[in-house]
Amino acid sequence: MLNYKTLENTDIKILHEGFIKAFSDYQVKMDLPLWKLQQMLQRRGYVPALSMGAFKEDELVGFVLNGFRSWNGKSTVYDTGTGVIPDYRRQGITTNMFQNNVVLLKEKNITQYLLEVIQSNKSALELYQKQGFEITRSFRCYQLEKCKYTPVSAYQVEHLDKIDETVWEQLKTFWDIQPSWQNSIDSVRAIADEFIYSFVRIDNAIVGYGIIDKKTGDIPQLGVSKSSRRQGIGSSILTDLINSTISEKITVLNIDDESKSTKDFFNKLGFQQYVDQYEMILQL
């Protein structure tokens, strides 16, 4: 008999052990030491009291790890990771966890439930659709081996220690598409010290910026003002970002499929598309 309950009393090491087991045969190889799981949960706004676990006695056999924030003006929970360890699959555990979770979220007056799913993971996609989730956006994910990148240094790049609210308001005008949850301003702020912030200025005005994780090589945001594109600014910033991380692999997750210019930019610079995802929302 399984017991379903929230995760506020579950140690991070137990979550990590369950996560590793659940994703041991995942379509995308997971490199997730404990520190990286902790960083991921902090970045995505993890709230144990809004998350759900399936327990066989004291063993965590399934989990839904949820973050919470305002998203597009609505109180939103974000599924930062759902998994069931292999020995317990095909027993309806994921469905039961979601149903228990939805009851909890409605009690907490949460407005909507957001998640991402790999497009080729048909079983997960069908499960979410059965729960009422609807596809809102299509994302592409890219990666590059650092050693295969050809540097571009057309512009001088500077670093800032942090980005204040005034600067963020300017940078948002560079966007063609709103970033996904894990690449959002709130997600960057949640682990602000983990990132390098690179900028190009012309006549003392910021015309381009990029952000990269110092350790993991993940780039949550990179943008150039609409009037300054196709001049090598973005490439110069990307070169600086790549030189600023210790990671040998550079990743760019969740590029909106509608943003042709962004996809063309990374393709031109040698990035390889390695997985596609759907963003999905359930209105509660």
Side-chain angles (χ1 to χ4, degrees):
M1 185 70 178
L2 295 181
N3 181 27
Y4 296 90
K5 59 183 179 180
T6 57
L7 295 173
E8 59 261 63
N9 295 316
T10 302
D11 187 87
I12 185 66
K13 292 179 180 177
I14 301 296
L15 293 182
H16 182 243
E17 182 180 349
F19 204 100
I20 295 301
K21 288 180 180 177
F23 287 95
S24 59
D25 56 353
Y26 196 48
Q27 289 161 285
V28 178
K29 188 177 184 300
M30 299 291 280
D31 170 29
L32 203 76
L34 178 60
W35 71 264
K36 195 179 286 189
L37 175 65
Q38 291 174 309
Q39 185 197 80
M40 182 186 83
L41 294 178
Q42 183 178 350
R43 175 172 167 179
R44 300 182 186 182
Y46 173 60
V47 179
L50 295 176
S51 303
M52 190 64 57
F55 293 84
K56 177 71 172 179
E57 296 176 350
D58 292 331
E59 183 184 11
L60 179 68
V61 301
F63 52 83
V64 182
L65 307 178
N66 288 325
F68 172 77
R69 286 179 188 142
S70 176
W71 180 254
N72 293 333
K74 296 181 178 180
S75 61
T76 304
V77 158
Y78 171 76
D79 178 1
T80 197
T82 291
V84 174
I85 67 176
D87 289 347
Y88 287 85
R89 291 182 189 156
R90 297 178 180 85
Q91 299 178 30
I93 293 174
T94 304
T95 298
N96 288 337
M97 288 192 297
F98 266 108
Q99 289 175 346
N100 278 282
N101 223 157
V102 166
V103 170
L104 172 66
L105 300 183
K106 287 181 177 179
E107 289 175 353
K108 300 291 187 181
N109 296 315
I110 307 298
T111 304
Q112 57 187 8
Y113 203 165
L114 175 72
L115 57 77
E116 290 139 20
V117 60
I118 291 177
Q119 293 183 18
S120 60
N121 189 349
K122 300 302 183 184
S123 60
L125 178 59
E126 289 174 5
L127 183 147
Y128 296 138
Q129 289 174 323
K130 285 180 180 177
Q131 301 301 317
F133 285 85
E134 296 182 352
I135 294 170
T136 49
R137 291 194 286 179
S138 180
F139 293 142
R140 296 190 180 187
C141 302
Y142 294 86
Q143 60 186 14
L144 174 76
E145 297 296 330
K146 182 189 284 189
C147 61
K148 295 181 180 179
Y149 180 69
T150 302
V152 177
S153 299
Y155 289 84
Q156 181 179 350
V157 180
E158 63 180 274
H159 293 163
L160 291 179
D161 291 333
K162 63 179 180 178
I163 302 177
D164 63 29
E165 187 61 38
T166 303
V167 174
W168 272 123
E169 287 303 313
Q170 180 185 356
L171 300 183
K172 285 159 67 173
T173 68
F174 297 179
W175 298 353
D176 293 328
I177 303 287
Q178 180 186 9
S180 68
W181 180 286
Q182 60 187 278
N183 295 333
S184 66
I185 293 173
D186 284 339
S187 289
V188 172
R189 283 174 169 160
I191 55 168
D193 291 342
E194 301 299 326
F195 293 111
I196 296 289
Y197 306 92
S198 300
F199 291 82
V200 166
R201 297 179 193 265
I202 295 178
D203 296 331
N204 209 35
I206 296 172
V207 295
Y209 79 105
I211 304 168
I212 194 166
D213 188 297
K214 301 173 187 176
K215 296 178 185 175
T216 70
D218 176 59
I219 298 175
Q221 293 188 23
L222 192 155
V224 176
S225 69
K226 294 177 174 62
S227 61
S228 303
R229 294 177 181 174
R230 296 178 180 83
Q231 299 176 28
I233 294 171
S235 303
S236 299
I237 292 169
L238 181 61
T239 297
D240 184 76
L241 296 177
I242 290 174
N243 290 335
S244 298
T245 181
I246 64 172
S247 176
E248 293 302 316
K249 181 178 289 184
I250 311 302
T251 56
V252 186
L253 302 180
N254 296 346
I255 298 298
D256 195 307
D257 202 34
E258 296 293 317
S259 183
K260 183 178 183 300
S261 61
T262 307
K263 293 187 296 183
D264 289 347
F265 173 80
F266 285 109
N267 285 327
K268 181 181 178 182
L269 292 171
F271 281 74
Q272 300 294 313
Q273 181 183 342
Y274 73 101
V275 72
D276 296 335
Q277 297 203 110
Y278 289 125
E279 179 186 74
M280 305 183 77
I281 289 181
L282 171 66
Q283 300 298 331
L284 297 173

